[in-house]
Amino acid sequence: MVNKIVLRKGKEESLGRFHPWIFSGAIHHTEGSTPLEEGDIVEVLASDGRFLAIGHWQIGSIAVRVLTFRRQPINQAFWQKRLAAALDVRRAIGVAFREDNDIYRLVHGEGDNLPGLVIDIYGTTAVMQAHSVGMHVCRNELANALKEVMGERLKAIYYKSETTLPFKAQLGQENGFLWGEAGNDIARENGLAFHIDWLKGQKTGFFVDQRDNRSLVERYARGRKVLNMFCYTGGFSVYALRGGAELVHSVDSSTKAVELVNANVELNFPGDNRHKAFAEDAFKFMERTPSNSPLKGEDKKSPFKGDLEGLYDLIILDPPAFAKHKDALHNALRGYTKLNAKAFEKIQPGGILFTFSCSQAVNKDQFRTAVFTAAAIARRKVRILHQLHQPADHPINIYHPEGEYLKGLVLYVE
Ligand code: SAH
């Protein structure tokens, strides 16, 4: 017998608007043969017994993540249909089935009606990540469905959920291949090659979500001196080099990231001496960079003595999420202001600043206000040229606006 959850009176409204989450406070009682376990499939009923949805049960403030609003079995055929629909969207967008681009996000959780699941494709390897116990329980069914949908294009499925599954679930989950084995670690994005470290890298190994924004950097890079701050694998740096940048400096506090950016530059532009990478804290690095305002005394440690002074006229700021939760919002906004103020201070007149926030808790307007405050602090004249967001292979379910997270501004600084 399927476990059932009966909602309190009036609590079915958000489901009527297809919102895919049910909060624990909405539940009146549960019915079933055995006590519910995290990850179980449950049927959700209104207080009058009416069928509403089927979803995965979880412990926490979100109690159910809805998989379907129709009564249907949740099995491999179900997953296959959802994955095929996701692949159709990627083909429509123009990121899948291309010779020159085999890096894309196939599944973006709620955005693909698969709450709690992320799948990124890197060449012939898929990296699957569960953010809910329910998806973890279904991982083998999902892997089989994925093989069917991708066919010959896929040679391996790596499961990487060690850090994304709820800690309290104590699943003892280890990362590893569900199918196939480690092969070629090189994949392509818009004709540029990247080593993808899905075994040890951050997230699924690469920040797929900046593809379109990297292309825009390429368009602006010609003849410019570029600073790619928080570079990680160096996506922006490689695009800037292809776009004809005069020099590119990549900065990340992680030495592993600096090794990766160097390897990726070497892969695409062997021996190109326009690029240099620094393993250093962003704020410390910016402190050492000469200001556009007259320098206060000479900094002995500056790597920019002599001909490199007064430097950058294209700066990219793509920091990690400053606010992981709503409670951290205030500090996060101050962090964005401080960081952007530094960049405004340093950038050359006529410079272009690409600035991002990937904190879901910070909305577009709050981010824009933080950047506006930074411009005022640095007393620079600034025009907004572009307003950026996550790409189409990270779609937002219209009934789940919480799926919007990446925002960016491209600014012209006088
Ligand atoms: N722009 C990258 C993604 C950036 S992820 C891309 O397109 O792929 C954020 C990066 O910031 C991580 O690699 C992390 O190591 C780095 N980072 C975090 N704190 C930092 C700090 N204080 N100074 C410099 N880098 C930092």
Side-chain angles (χ1 to χ4, degrees):
M1 180 191 163
V2 183
N3 285 308
K4 295 192 166 78
I5 281 181
V6 182
L7 299 188
R8 289 158 65 175
K9 210 161 177 223
K11 290 292 180 187
E12 67 280 2
E13 265 175 34
S14 74
L15 285 180
R17 292 190 300 270
F18 302 111
H19 193 278
W21 293 348
I22 296 165
F23 291 97
S24 55
I27 294 172
H28 186 270
H29 68 276
T30 63
E31 291 172 5
S33 43
T34 49
L36 278 185
E37 276 188 40
E38 188 158 27
D40 279 354
I41 301 271
V42 291
E43 253 186 29
V44 183
L45 308 178
S47 56
D48 59 6
R50 198 161 35 92
F51 171 86
L52 295 171
I54 296 173
H56 277 142
W57 166 257
Q58 58 181 54
I59 295 168
S61 83
I62 302 171
V64 180
R65 293 172 98 164
V66 173
L67 296 164
T68 174
F69 294 94
R70 281 200 305 124
R71 204 173 234 144
Q72 59 180 322
I74 306 299
N75 51 23
Q76 192 180 315
F78 172 83
W79 301 124
Q80 222 162 294
K81 234 164 111 189
R82 287 282 158 99
L83 293 176
L87 186 57
D88 281 347
V89 172
R90 275 50 184 185
R91 203 193 328 218
I93 297 163
V95 292
F97 306 122
R98 268 170 56 187
E99 281 278 302
D100 66 332
N101 193 89
D102 55 17
I103 298 178
Y104 57 92
R105 176 153 293 192
L106 175 64
V107 173
H108 185 59
E110 281 81 354
D112 286 294
N113 303 311
L114 289 164
L117 183 69
V118 163
I119 301 177
D120 285 337
I121 304 292
Y122 299 115
T124 55
T125 301
V127 180
M128 196 164 113
Q129 198 163 63
H131 292 252
S132 70
V133 177
M135 286 300 185
H136 172 73
V137 171
C138 298
R139 64 196 178 282
N140 288 314
E141 253 181 17
L142 281 162
N144 287 333
L146 183 60
K147 278 198 274 187
E148 288 294 325
V149 169
M150 295 294 286
E152 291 291 295
R153 284 177 210 94
L154 209 62
K155 301 255 180 309
I157 302 174
Y158 187 70
Y159 186 58
K160 193 175 187 202
S161 304
E162 225 171 70
T163 57
T164 55
L165 282 169
F167 169 69
K168 288 199 196 101
Q170 293 189 323
L171 300 165
Q173 177 51 39
E174 285 178 9
N175 295 338
F177 283 93
L178 291 179
W179 173 63
E181 54 190 43
N184 186 354
D185 76 333
I186 295 174
R188 269 163 214 289
E189 186 183 272
N190 289 325
L192 292 164
F194 292 95
H195 290 283
I196 311 291
D197 185 4
W198 50 77
L199 299 183
K200 298 212 182 66
Q202 299 176 45
K203 301 226 268 185
T204 62
F206 193 67
F207 284 67
V208 183
D209 56 3
Q210 289 287 25
R211 182 199 312 105
D212 294 351
N213 303 331
R214 293 196 263 254
S215 287
L216 195 60
V217 163
E218 179 175 1
R219 265 172 53 193
Y220 277 99
R222 183 152 305 280
R224 290 193 184 264
K225 299 187 175 110
V226 178
L227 172 62
N228 179 12
M229 192 56 94
F230 310 96
C231 64
Y232 188 37
T233 56
F236 284 108
S237 305
V238 176
Y239 277 74
L241 289 167
R242 186 168 71 177
E246 195 176 311
L247 77 82
V248 179
H249 285 169
S250 306
V251 179
D252 199 292
S253 55
S254 143
T255 46
K256 176 89 196 147
V258 165
E259 281 167 24
L260 272 169
V261 62
N262 282 332
N264 285 330
V265 168
E266 193 55 29
L267 188 62
N268 292 280
F269 306 101
D272 195 325
N273 58 12
R274 289 176 297 159
H275 179 258
K276 199 166 160 48
F278 302 83
E280 197 171 335
D281 172 77
F283 285 97
K284 286 198 181 134
F285 185 90
M286 295 243 253
E287 275 317 320
R288 299 201 291 120
T289 310
S291 276
N292 243 336
S293 52
L295 266 179
K296 295 181 208 99
E298 199 185 332
D299 183 347
K300 295 266 181 311
K301 282 187 297 190
S302 172
F304 309 114
K305 281 208 208 81
D307 56 346
L308 288 184
E309 296 230 336
L311 212 47
Y312 306 111
D313 55 4
L314 198 168
I315 298 181
I316 301 139
L317 299 176
D318 184 24
F322 282 174
K324 294 241 157 63
H325 303 285
K326 280 265 177 248
D327 347 343
L329 182 63
H330 184 66
N331 281 343
L333 293 175
R334 281 179 44 186
Y336 287 120
T337 296
K338 204 174 137 205
L339 179 68
N340 282 278
K342 270 280 163 258
F344 282 128
E345 253 172 49
K346 306 291 177 176
I347 200 162
Q348 286 275 22
I352 308 278
L353 176 64
F354 279 71
T355 182
F356 296 97
S357 162
C358 60
S359 303
Q360 193 269 336
V362 174
N363 72 31
K364 232 183 287 179
D365 291 336
Q366 289 163 328
F367 178 59
R368 188 161 149 175
T369 304
V371 176
F372 149 85
T373 310
I377 289 170
R379 308 196 68 74
R380 301 294 295 265
K381 262 195 197 157
V382 174
R383 293 174 174 80
I384 298 177
L385 304 182
H386 303 268
Q387 307 198 44
L388 307 179
H389 39 76
Q390 64 215 58
D393 56 347
H394 294 57
I396 301 159
N397 177 343
I398 202 162
Y399 304 113
H400 180 255
E402 296 90 334
E404 186 168 2
Y405 70 102
L406 182 64
K407 55 242 148 245
L409 294 167
V410 183
L411 308 167
Y412 183 88
V413 187
E414 252 181 57

